[in-house]
Structures are given as structure tokens and as C-alpha cells.
Amino acid sequence: FVGVLLLGAFVAAMGQEVERPRKGGKNKGKRAQREAEAAVKSALPTELTQHFPIGREFKGVAIPSYDGDRLKSVMNADSVTRVDEQFLDLMNLVVHVYNSEGKPETTITMDEAAYDLVAGELASKTPSRIEQPRFTMTGDKMIYQTESQVARMVGNVVVIVPDAKDMAPDFGFPGTVPAAQKTP
């Protein structure tokens, strides 16, 4: 029962906007830390902070995300550790993203990742992979901003589009016959 409560509270907390700590002034390091702690405390429900203590590892975690009553995604991790007030470490993370019909559309995988509760940013620490029916993308690192819902793949990015020659025959992909030239 605690696991269900914990996951529901965590999902609710991840969807909330959190103000970033401000820089500048005397003792900016201590002030920034206090502001980060206050931001996390305001974003995370008491139930979560009580049942998800710093330093504790949780194994076999599945975190669903909903848009109303529609399942948007499910994050599965072999383990999640709350490192401090601000960061979570996730091991063997697999995220399944569902389309509007409730069918899996995208799979995102990374061996190690960190989630910044204050910035709302998920960043891989190891190479990552995004798979869809239309393409597969890999890279050294992936950064996902939860507020803007934009993911960036960084370093040695490779995109494989299996049916690329069917998409645009005029592009002259290797192994394809170029389209006939039309001149006026």
C-alpha cells in the first residue's frame, strides 16, 4: 500500500512547476541550498518525503503519468535512490510513451539517469536510445526538460530511419534510383 501511495505522490510532484534557486548576494551557496530545499519541500507532498528518505534505494519502481484519465507514459527503473533533497538516481530506466489510443508509441532507454526535482530535468549518465516505429535514435546523453517536454540527444547522435527511401525518393539516398529530372 505504501508503494502505491508513494508512486502516486511522486507522479503528482513531478508534474508541478518549481521555481529555480536564484544566484547572487552574500552566502549565495547556503541561500541557494535553502531555496532548493524549500522548492523541493513545496513541490513534494509530505507523504513522499516521509516514505522516500534520502539515501534509501527502492527496487523495481514503476511510475505512471496520466493526462486526465489517459495513460501518457510509464517509467520503469530497476532502482531509484533519493540522493539528496534535489536529486534522484535511476538505474536501468525504460520509459514507455503511449499515444492517444493508449498504445505504446515510443520507448526511451538509458542505463543510468538522474532526475533533478528542482529543475524538472531528466539527464542520462550513459548512452541513451529512443525507439519509434518510424526511427531509432541513439546518443551519448539525453536531456529531457519536463516543463517544455523537449528532449535533446547529445554526442555521437545516430538516427536510423528504416523506410527513408520510401519517404523521399528525390533525396537520392544510396542504393536508390534518382527520380527523373523534370525540366520546364
Side-chain angles (χ1 to χ4, degrees):
F1 177 76
V2 172
V4 173
L5 174 65
L6 171 69
L7 293 178
F10 183 70
V11 170
M14 286 181 66
Q16 295 182 6
E17 291 185 27
V18 178
E19 185 175 322
R20 288 183 185 233
R22 293 186 175 90
K23 296 180 181 177
K26 289 184 179 181
N27 300 321
K28 67 180 178 179
K30 289 182 181 180
R31 187 171 79 206
Q33 183 175 348
R34 282 193 310 270
E35 288 178 357
E37 289 171 4
V40 169
K41 285 179 183 174
S42 69
L44 296 175
T46 306
E47 301 87 16
L48 179 59
T49 55
Q50 288 175 349
H51 297 293
F52 203 16
I54 292 172
R56 181 149 179 214
E57 178 182 28
F58 289 83
K59 295 191 179 233
V61 177
I63 304 170
S65 171
Y66 292 92
D67 183 13
D69 61 349
R70 184 181 68 82
L71 181 64
K72 287 182 5 179
S73 66
V74 177
M75 288 183 11
N76 295 291
D78 285 353
S79 71
V80 176
T81 303
R82 185 165 178 199
V83 178
D84 56 25
E85 289 289 331
Q86 185 172 353
F87 292 98
L88 299 173
D89 274 349
L90 302 105
M91 299 296 294
N92 296 321
L93 178 66
V94 178
V95 180
H96 297 283
V97 181
Y98 296 87
N99 63 20
S100 59
E101 287 86 42
K103 296 181 181 179
E105 181 177 65
T106 304
T107 301
I108 302 167
T109 57
M110 52 190 77
D111 291 338
E112 295 180 40
Y115 185 74
D116 183 331
L117 294 162
V118 174
E121 179 178 277
L122 176 68
S124 66
K125 298 178 180 182
T126 57
S128 303
R129 180 180 189 91
I130 300 173
E131 295 178 79
Q132 285 193 343
R134 298 173 302 236
F135 70 89
T136 298
M137 180 185 296
T138 59
D140 291 340
K141 185 176 181 181
M142 187 183 83
I143 302 164
Y144 177 73
Q145 297 286 335
T146 56
E147 185 176 323
S148 64
Q149 297 184 344
V150 172
R152 289 184 304 141
M153 194 70 80
V154 180
N156 296 311
V157 176
V158 175
V159 178
I160 298 170
V161 182
D163 59 354
K165 65 181 177 192
D166 298 334
M167 292 171 47
D170 293 337
F171 281 178
F173 287 109
T176 62
V177 178
Q181 294 280 338
K182 294 180 183 178
T183 57

